[in-house]
Amino acid sequence: MKNQLNEKCAIFGVFGDSEIASRQTYFGLFALQHRGQEYSGIASTDGTDIFSFKGQGLVTQVYTEETLKELTGFCAIGHNRYSTSHGGGPEHAQPIIINNIAFAHNGNLPSVKALIDFLEGKNIEAGDLSDSELMAEAIGVYVKEGLSLPEAIEKAYPLFTGAFSCVALSKDSLVAFRDPCGIRPLVIGKRKDKIFFASETCALQTVGADFLREVEPGEMVVVNKDGMESKILEKRAPKFDIFEFVYFARSDSVMLEKSVYEVRKNFGKILAQEYKLDIDIIIPVPETAIPSAIGYSQETGIPFEMALAKNRYIHRTFIEPLQDNRDTKVKMKLLPLTSVISGKRVGVIDDSIVRGTTSRQIVKMLFEAGAREVHFLVGSPPVKFPDFYGIDTPMQKDLIGSQKTIKEICEFLGATSLSYLSIDGMVKATGLPKERFSLSAFDGVYPIDLFDRTSEFTMDVPKD
């Protein structure tokens, strides 16, 4: 559920737009709204100056026609933000502007010691800066010393320890680069003579660009008036975060040459093979679990029903419900169709369970709507370990999968039964080898060194 895990961030960039590049960036960010809803920003250049605008809220709330007209130029980058590292206020919104460059980052650096030591060695106060701001400052140091933007990024790159997919612009160049593991997604698109970068392919489709390829792990791609060039900054060791397939990506995106929709449908099919339940209907928790429910239905022949109606206009609210009505948040988003549920043995499927509180309320809601039985299915394994690479997961002690067995979780939910997709089943659904993925949320194996943050989790979790 989206109210349990918060998205990371979205980045977008375009070079060579004879129209106003900021308009293309606006539509790209609109397509990537699901990856961050707290702040949005765009920076552009006309070759002489860099212009920027940032604000709090959804893309449609932040920008106006007048705003976009002021963001002139042939090149622009944009960012939708959800705060992951420290630095959650509006002053930390991106793109970050420093020394005539603009910078935007999706991901998270679990250790910033090398960056802080470097900047303090340059007499730059680093204590209150977010990981993204530290990265921008380091690149800015080398730009100030006379290096071009690509040269500055290459020089600063060894200081970046963690997950990062980034775009940056100067007055004459657009640069995209990615960490050696490729934890977070980043793709390249083209439309006529324009080059685009985006977190997901759905944004390329929105602006009418054709998908070219991914930015490779460890690669830097530079675009300027002379064309597009690539340079490998560090040997690739790909470990894509499988949670992109489980939850974060839009279902109409393509990742690792795989349709996210088809992979999620496969989650449901394999879950049906692992757990054959005697139920009357299968219903999804909208939206991410819809393909999995379709897959489960196709594999079993059990009727698929959209029996949880989602309020399509709900995004986010700053008004908290009264404490004596804890169901209000869920009921603002989801309401059961009693006529479909009443008297039925219901299978309800969700993409994941994090804290378990929302899932518990959904089970309660279904029973109140007259369900005879409520069997809860999950299109991923138990989430037992926190994320350090750009997902705002709770601390491990708040992850129900790290504190309770599956039987105990089922009792907490009040469900008739609880069935999780296995790790092997989840990987099988992608059609890719297990070694290609980071499975850290499920197995506690972190492909990028966490340094001192390893003390924030334990491998002593329930074994089911």
Side-chain angles (χ1 to χ4, degrees):
M1 287 287 293
K2 279 186 171 59
N3 59 340
Q4 293 177 312
L5 282 181
N6 287 307
E7 294 82 350
K8 304 164 295 299
C9 296
I11 55 175
F12 187 88
V14 55
F15 184 95
D17 201 322
S18 55
E19 308 162 26
I20 299 176
S22 61
R23 291 186 67 83
Q24 298 295 324
T25 304
Y26 169 87
F27 290 113
L29 293 178
F30 179 82
L32 296 168
Q33 185 71 86
H34 60 290
R35 299 185 72 87
Q37 298 94 41
E38 286 198 348
Y39 304 96
S40 187
I42 295 175
S44 68
T45 183
D46 60 2
T48 303
D49 296 302
I50 289 179
F51 312 94
S52 71
F53 184 85
K54 294 176 276 191
Q56 184 173 13
L58 303 175
V59 172
T60 53
Q61 298 168 334
V62 170
Y63 309 100
T64 64
E65 283 287 345
E66 290 71 28
T67 303
L68 295 176
K69 285 177 183 176
E70 292 177 2
L71 295 170
T72 60
F74 59 90
C75 179
I77 63 173
H79 187 270
N80 290 338
R81 176 173 173 80
Y82 182 85
S83 311
T84 52
S85 184
H86 93 275
E91 69 276 12
H92 296 290
Q94 299 182 38
I96 300 156
I97 312 296
I98 184 168
N99 291 342
N100 290 318
I101 64 166
F103 173 80
H105 167 218
N106 171 28
N108 192 55
L109 307 187
S111 174
V112 293
K113 185 178 185 305
L115 276 167
I116 290 174
D117 290 346
F118 169 77
L119 292 173
E120 290 183 347
K122 299 287 185 178
N123 295 317
I124 296 173
E125 179 57 49
D128 293 328
L129 301 180
S130 69
D131 58 343
S132 304
E133 290 164 333
L134 293 169
M135 295 172 77
E137 286 281 359
I139 295 168
V141 165
Y142 289 119
V143 169
K144 191 174 182 180
E145 290 178 359
L147 298 184
S148 67
L149 176 58
E151 290 169 338
I153 290 170
E154 183 174 1
K155 190 89 169 175
Y157 191 90
L159 298 170
F160 307 154
T161 304
F164 51 89
S165 288
C166 305
V167 288
L169 67 78
S170 62
K171 294 175 183 178
D172 59 7
S173 299
L174 173 61
V175 184
F177 61 98
R178 204 172 173 199
D179 68 78
C181 289
I183 299 280
R184 305 266 72 89
L186 187 58
V187 296
I188 310 172
K190 187 174 184 180
R191 192 185 75 197
K192 297 181 180 178
D193 59 344
K194 305 175 184 65
I195 297 295
F196 297 83
F197 297 100
S199 292
E200 294 184 34
T201 58
C202 63
L204 300 180
Q205 291 175 289
T206 300
V207 297
D210 294 324
F211 169 63
L212 285 183
R213 64 176 180 87
E214 294 187 6
V215 176
E216 292 295 324
E219 181 185 24
M220 175 177 69
V221 180
V222 181
V223 185
N224 54 36
K225 62 181 177 59
D226 297 321
M228 183 170 69
E229 292 186 358
S230 165
K231 186 170 187 178
I232 301 299
L233 301 185
E234 190 170 331
K235 183 179 178 182
R236 68 196 301 267
K239 288 288 184 181
F240 187 69
D241 186 354
I242 203 167
F243 231 116
E244 294 283 350
F245 282 113
V246 171
Y247 170 70
F248 287 108
R250 254 176 55 170
S251 62
D252 54 341
S253 286
V254 174
M255 294 186 165
L256 305 184
E257 300 183 357
K258 302 291 182 179
S259 159
V260 174
Y261 176 84
E262 292 298 332
V263 169
R264 287 179 181 161
K265 200 159 72 166
N266 289 342
F267 289 158
K269 289 182 177 180
I270 296 172
L271 189 56
Q273 294 165 11
E274 293 182 346
Y275 298 97
K276 293 178 172 61
L277 300 178
D278 190 12
I279 54 179
D280 299 313
I281 57 172
I282 180 74
I283 67 174
V285 178
E287 299 283 334
T288 319
I290 292 173
S292 296
I294 292 171
Y296 194 96
S297 174
Q298 290 179 351
E299 185 70 17
T300 61
I302 294 167
F304 167 92
E305 296 282 0
M306 287 293 294
L308 283 172
K310 184 178 181 181
N311 181 349
R312 70 180 65 182
Y313 301 105
I314 191 79
H315 285 288
R316 58 197 301 268
T317 175
F318 296 99
I319 309 300
E320 289 294 321
L322 296 172
Q323 286 300 309
D324 60 355
N325 190 2
R326 297 181 180 181
D327 291 344
T328 301
K329 271 190 175 182
V330 176
K331 289 180 178 178
M332 283 176 67
K333 295 185 178 183
L334 298 172
L335 284 174
L337 302 182
T338 303
S339 61
V340 178
I341 294 165
S342 182
K344 301 283 196 346
R345 297 168 299 173
V346 176
V348 58
I349 187 167
D350 205 352
D351 52 74
S352 57
I353 296 178
V354 183
R355 290 185 175 91
T357 51
T358 298
S359 303
R360 184 182 190 177
Q361 290 168 341
I362 289 171
V363 171
K364 178 184 175 187
M365 191 187 298
L366 292 171
F367 274 124
E368 288 175 346
R372 283 169 49 203
E373 300 174 359
V374 176
H375 300 266
F376 209 101
L377 299 116
V378 189
S380 62
V383 177
K384 298 185 177 185
F385 301 92
D387 182 85
F388 296 93
Y389 301 140
I391 304 173
D392 186 42
T393 55
M395 292 184 291
Q396 189 177 29
K397 67 180 179 62
D398 297 320
L399 298 172
I400 195 169
S402 74
Q403 305 298 312
K404 298 179 184 293
T405 65
I406 292 177
K407 182 181 178 182
E408 290 169 339
I409 297 172
C410 184
E411 292 171 354
F412 174 81
L413 300 184
T416 308
S417 72
L418 173 62
S419 305
Y420 282 94
L421 183 63
S422 67
I423 288 180
D424 288 342
M426 176 178 62
V427 173
K428 182 181 177 182
T430 69
L432 294 166
K434 195 173 186 177
E435 312 81 67
R436 186 63 183 81
F437 294 106
S438 169
L439 308 169
S440 56
F442 309 109
D443 65 7
V445 178
Y446 295 92
I448 298 175
D449 198 333
L450 302 180
F451 295 96
D452 57 320
R453 298 197 68 181
T454 55
S455 62
E456 296 180 27
F457 74 96
T458 175
M459 297 299 292
D460 184 19
V461 295
K463 304 290 191 298
D464 290 291

